[in-house]
PDB file of all heavy atoms in Angstrom:
ATOM      1  N   LYS B 297       0.752  -3.737  18.630  1.00 97.00           N
ATOM      2  CA  LYS B 297       2.138  -3.332  18.434  1.00 97.00           C
ATOM      3  C   LYS B 297       2.444  -3.174  16.946  1.00 97.00           C
ATOM      4  O   LYS B 297       3.198  -2.286  16.545  1.00 97.00           O
ATOM      5  CB  LYS B 297       3.077  -4.371  19.028  1.00 97.00           C
ATOM      6  CG  LYS B 297       4.549  -4.015  18.852  1.00 97.00           C
ATOM      7  CD  LYS B 297       5.438  -4.927  19.642  1.00 97.00           C
ATOM      8  CE  LYS B 297       6.886  -4.494  19.463  1.00 97.00           C
ATOM      9  NZ  LYS B 297       7.133  -3.130  19.976  1.00 97.00           N
ATOM     10  N   PHE B 298       1.869  -4.028  16.147  1.00 97.00           N
ATOM     11  CA  PHE B 298       2.087  -3.992  14.699  1.00 97.00           C
ATOM     12  C   PHE B 298       0.769  -3.565  14.041  1.00 97.00           C
ATOM     13  O   PHE B 298      -0.082  -4.384  13.723  1.00 97.00           O
ATOM     14  CB  PHE B 298       2.536  -5.352  14.191  1.00 97.00           C
ATOM     15  CG  PHE B 298       3.838  -5.820  14.780  1.00 97.00           C
ATOM     16  CD1 PHE B 298       3.851  -6.723  15.836  1.00 97.00           C
ATOM     17  CD2 PHE B 298       5.038  -5.337  14.299  1.00 97.00           C
ATOM     18  CE1 PHE B 298       5.050  -7.142  16.394  1.00 97.00           C
ATOM     19  CE2 PHE B 298       6.241  -5.762  14.844  1.00 97.00           C
ATOM     20  CZ  PHE B 298       6.253  -6.660  15.900  1.00 97.00           C
ATOM     21  N   LEU B 299       0.651  -2.241  13.839  1.00 96.00           N
ATOM     22  CA  LEU B 299      -0.577  -1.680  13.300  1.00 96.00           C
ATOM     23  C   LEU B 299      -0.554  -1.745  11.783  1.00 96.00           C
ATOM     24  O   LEU B 299       0.374  -1.270  11.152  1.00 96.00           O
ATOM     25  CB  LEU B 299      -0.738  -0.225  13.769  1.00 96.00           C
ATOM     26  CG  LEU B 299      -0.778  -0.009  15.281  1.00 96.00           C
ATOM     27  CD1 LEU B 299      -0.921   1.468  15.591  1.00 96.00           C
ATOM     28  CD2 LEU B 299      -1.898  -0.811  15.921  1.00 96.00           C
ATOM     29  N   ILE B 300      -1.609  -2.301  11.225  1.00 95.00           N
ATOM     30  CA  ILE B 300      -1.691  -2.417   9.776  1.00 95.00           C
ATOM     31  C   ILE B 300      -2.888  -1.639   9.273  1.00 95.00           C
ATOM     32  O   ILE B 300      -3.995  -1.756   9.794  1.00 95.00           O
ATOM     33  CB  ILE B 300      -1.786  -3.897   9.354  1.00 95.00           C
ATOM     34  CG1 ILE B 300      -0.470  -4.604   9.648  1.00 95.00           C
ATOM     35  CG2 ILE B 300      -2.146  -4.016   7.869  1.00 95.00           C
ATOM     36  CD1 ILE B 300      -0.507  -6.097   9.431  1.00 95.00           C
ATOM     37  N   ASN B 301      -2.638  -0.835   8.251  1.00 92.00           N
ATOM     38  CA  ASN B 301      -3.686  -0.050   7.615  1.00 92.00           C
ATOM     39  C   ASN B 301      -3.650  -0.292   6.120  1.00 92.00           C
ATOM     40  O   ASN B 301      -2.598  -0.249   5.497  1.00 92.00           O
ATOM     41  CB  ASN B 301      -3.477   1.443   7.916  1.00 92.00           C
ATOM     42  CG  ASN B 301      -4.598   2.286   7.353  1.00 92.00           C
ATOM     43  OD1 ASN B 301      -4.642   2.588   6.160  1.00 92.00           O
ATOM     44  ND2 ASN B 301      -5.523   2.652   8.210  1.00 92.00           N
ATOM     45  N   HIS B 302      -4.815  -0.570   5.547  1.00 90.00           N
ATOM     46  CA  HIS B 302      -4.892  -0.851   4.102  1.00 90.00           C
ATOM     47  C   HIS B 302      -6.017   0.004   3.544  1.00 90.00           C
ATOM     48  O   HIS B 302      -7.089  -0.499   3.199  1.00 90.00           O
ATOM     49  CB  HIS B 302      -5.168  -2.351   3.913  1.00 90.00           C
ATOM     50  CG  HIS B 302      -4.936  -2.837   2.519  1.00 90.00           C
ATOM     51  ND1 HIS B 302      -4.635  -4.153   2.251  1.00 90.00           N
ATOM     52  CD2 HIS B 302      -4.965  -2.220   1.326  1.00 90.00           C
ATOM     53  CE1 HIS B 302      -4.503  -4.317   0.947  1.00 90.00           C
ATOM     54  NE2 HIS B 302      -4.699  -3.160   0.364  1.00 90.00           N
ATOM     55  N   ALA B 303      -5.758   1.307   3.507  1.00 83.00           N
ATOM     56  CA  ALA B 303      -6.808   2.265   3.203  1.00 83.00           C
ATOM     57  C   ALA B 303      -7.149   2.354   1.726  1.00 83.00           C
ATOM     58  O   ALA B 303      -8.205   2.848   1.356  1.00 83.00           O
ATOM     59  CB  ALA B 303      -6.410   3.642   3.724  1.00 83.00           C
ATOM     60  N   SER B 304      -6.265   1.907   0.864  1.00 90.00           N
ATOM     61  CA  SER B 304      -6.555   1.978  -0.565  1.00 90.00           C
ATOM     62  C   SER B 304      -6.124   0.676  -1.236  1.00 90.00           C
ATOM     63  O   SER B 304      -5.476  -0.165  -0.616  1.00 90.00           O
ATOM     64  CB  SER B 304      -5.814   3.154  -1.217  1.00 90.00           C
ATOM     65  OG  SER B 304      -4.454   2.839  -1.435  1.00 90.00           O
ATOM     66  N   LEU B 305      -6.500   0.530  -2.477  1.00 90.00           N
ATOM     67  CA  LEU B 305      -6.208  -0.703  -3.200  1.00 90.00           C
ATOM     68  C   LEU B 305      -4.746  -0.807  -3.628  1.00 90.00           C
ATOM     69  O   LEU B 305      -4.344  -1.826  -4.186  1.00 90.00           O
ATOM     70  CB  LEU B 305      -7.112  -0.820  -4.438  1.00 90.00           C
ATOM     71  CG  LEU B 305      -8.573  -1.119  -4.131  1.00 90.00           C
ATOM     72  CD1 LEU B 305      -9.422  -0.998  -5.384  1.00 90.00           C
ATOM     73  CD2 LEU B 305      -8.726  -2.525  -3.550  1.00 90.00           C
ATOM     74  N   THR B 306      -3.966   0.230  -3.382  1.00 92.00           N
ATOM     75  CA  THR B 306      -2.564   0.196  -3.792  1.00 92.00           C
ATOM     76  C   THR B 306      -1.593   0.441  -2.645  1.00 92.00           C
ATOM     77  O   THR B 306      -0.390   0.496  -2.857  1.00 92.00           O
ATOM     78  CB  THR B 306      -2.285   1.240  -4.901  1.00 92.00           C
ATOM     79  OG1 THR B 306      -2.624   2.539  -4.399  1.00 92.00           O
ATOM     80  CG2 THR B 306      -3.106   0.953  -6.149  1.00 92.00           C
ATOM     81  N   LEU B 307      -2.111   0.587  -1.435  1.00 94.00           N
ATOM     82  CA  LEU B 307      -1.208   0.915  -0.327  1.00 94.00           C
ATOM     83  C   LEU B 307      -1.621   0.211   0.954  1.00 94.00           C
ATOM     84  O   LEU B 307      -2.763   0.294   1.390  1.00 94.00           O
ATOM     85  CB  LEU B 307      -1.186   2.428  -0.086  1.00 94.00           C
ATOM     86  CG  LEU B 307      -0.403   2.908   1.136  1.00 94.00           C
ATOM     87  CD1 LEU B 307       1.085   2.598   0.983  1.00 94.00           C
ATOM     88  CD2 LEU B 307      -0.620   4.403   1.355  1.00 94.00           C
ATOM     89  N   SER B 308      -0.656  -0.461   1.553  1.00 94.00           N
ATOM     90  CA  SER B 308      -0.817  -1.003   2.900  1.00 94.00           C
ATOM     91  C   SER B 308       0.373  -0.522   3.722  1.00 94.00           C
ATOM     92  O   SER B 308       1.492  -0.426   3.211  1.00 94.00           O
ATOM     93  CB  SER B 308      -0.843  -2.538   2.869  1.00 94.00           C
ATOM     94  OG  SER B 308      -0.896  -3.055   4.186  1.00 94.00           O
ATOM     95  N   THR B 309       0.120  -0.185   4.980  1.00 96.00           N
ATOM     96  CA  THR B 309       1.219   0.261   5.834  1.00 96.00           C
ATOM     97  C   THR B 309       1.283  -0.595   7.091  1.00 96.00           C
ATOM     98  O   THR B 309       0.261  -1.055   7.607  1.00 96.00           O
ATOM     99  CB  THR B 309       1.056   1.734   6.242  1.00 96.00           C
ATOM    100  OG1 THR B 309      -0.165   1.883   6.965  1.00 96.00           O
ATOM    101  CG2 THR B 309       1.049   2.650   5.032  1.00 96.00           C
ATOM    102  N   LEU B 310       2.514  -0.797   7.539  1.00 97.00           N
ATOM    103  CA  LEU B 310       2.771  -1.506   8.795  1.00 97.00           C
ATOM    104  C   LEU B 310       3.496  -0.539   9.709  1.00 97.00           C
ATOM    105  O   LEU B 310       4.550  -0.003   9.339  1.00 97.00           O
ATOM    106  CB  LEU B 310       3.640  -2.736   8.548  1.00 97.00           C
ATOM    107  CG  LEU B 310       4.233  -3.422   9.784  1.00 97.00           C
ATOM    108  CD1 LEU B 310       3.130  -4.058  10.629  1.00 97.00           C
ATOM    109  CD2 LEU B 310       5.250  -4.486   9.382  1.00 97.00           C
ATOM    110  N   THR B 311       2.929  -0.280  10.876  1.00 98.00           N
ATOM    111  CA  THR B 311       3.571   0.596  11.853  1.00 98.00           C
ATOM    112  C   THR B 311       4.002  -0.236  13.047  1.00 98.00           C
ATOM    113  O   THR B 311       3.157  -0.874  13.690  1.00 98.00           O
ATOM    114  CB  THR B 311       2.630   1.724  12.301  1.00 98.00           C
ATOM    115  OG1 THR B 311       2.230   2.490  11.155  1.00 98.00           O
ATOM    116  CG2 THR B 311       3.337   2.644  13.296  1.00 98.00           C
ATOM    117  N   VAL B 312       5.291  -0.219  13.315  1.00 98.00           N
ATOM    118  CA  VAL B 312       5.828  -0.888  14.496  1.00 98.00           C
ATOM    119  C   VAL B 312       5.829   0.155  15.608  1.00 98.00           C
ATOM    120  O   VAL B 312       6.581   1.144  15.545  1.00 98.00           O
ATOM    121  CB  VAL B 312       7.253  -1.417  14.248  1.00 98.00           C
ATOM    122  CG1 VAL B 312       7.769  -2.166  15.469  1.00 98.00           C
ATOM    123  CG2 VAL B 312       7.284  -2.321  13.018  1.00 98.00           C
ATOM    124  N   THR B 313       4.984  -0.033  16.597  1.00 97.00           N
ATOM    125  CA  THR B 313       4.856   0.966  17.653  1.00 97.00           C
ATOM    126  C   THR B 313       5.757   0.615  18.829  1.00 97.00           C
ATOM    127  O   THR B 313       5.994  -0.557  19.121  1.00 97.00           O
ATOM    128  CB  THR B 313       3.402   1.058  18.140  1.00 97.00           C
ATOM    129  OG1 THR B 313       3.032  -0.205  18.702  1.00 97.00           O
ATOM    130  CG2 THR B 313       2.462   1.384  17.000  1.00 97.00           C
TER     131      THR B 313
END
Side-chain angles (χ1 to χ4, degrees):
Chain B
K297 180 170 182 62
F298 299 99
L299 301 179
I300 292 173
N301 184 281
H302 194 155
S304 78
L305 288 171
T306 59
L307 174 65
S308 176
T309 60
L310 168 67
T311 301
V312 183
T313 62

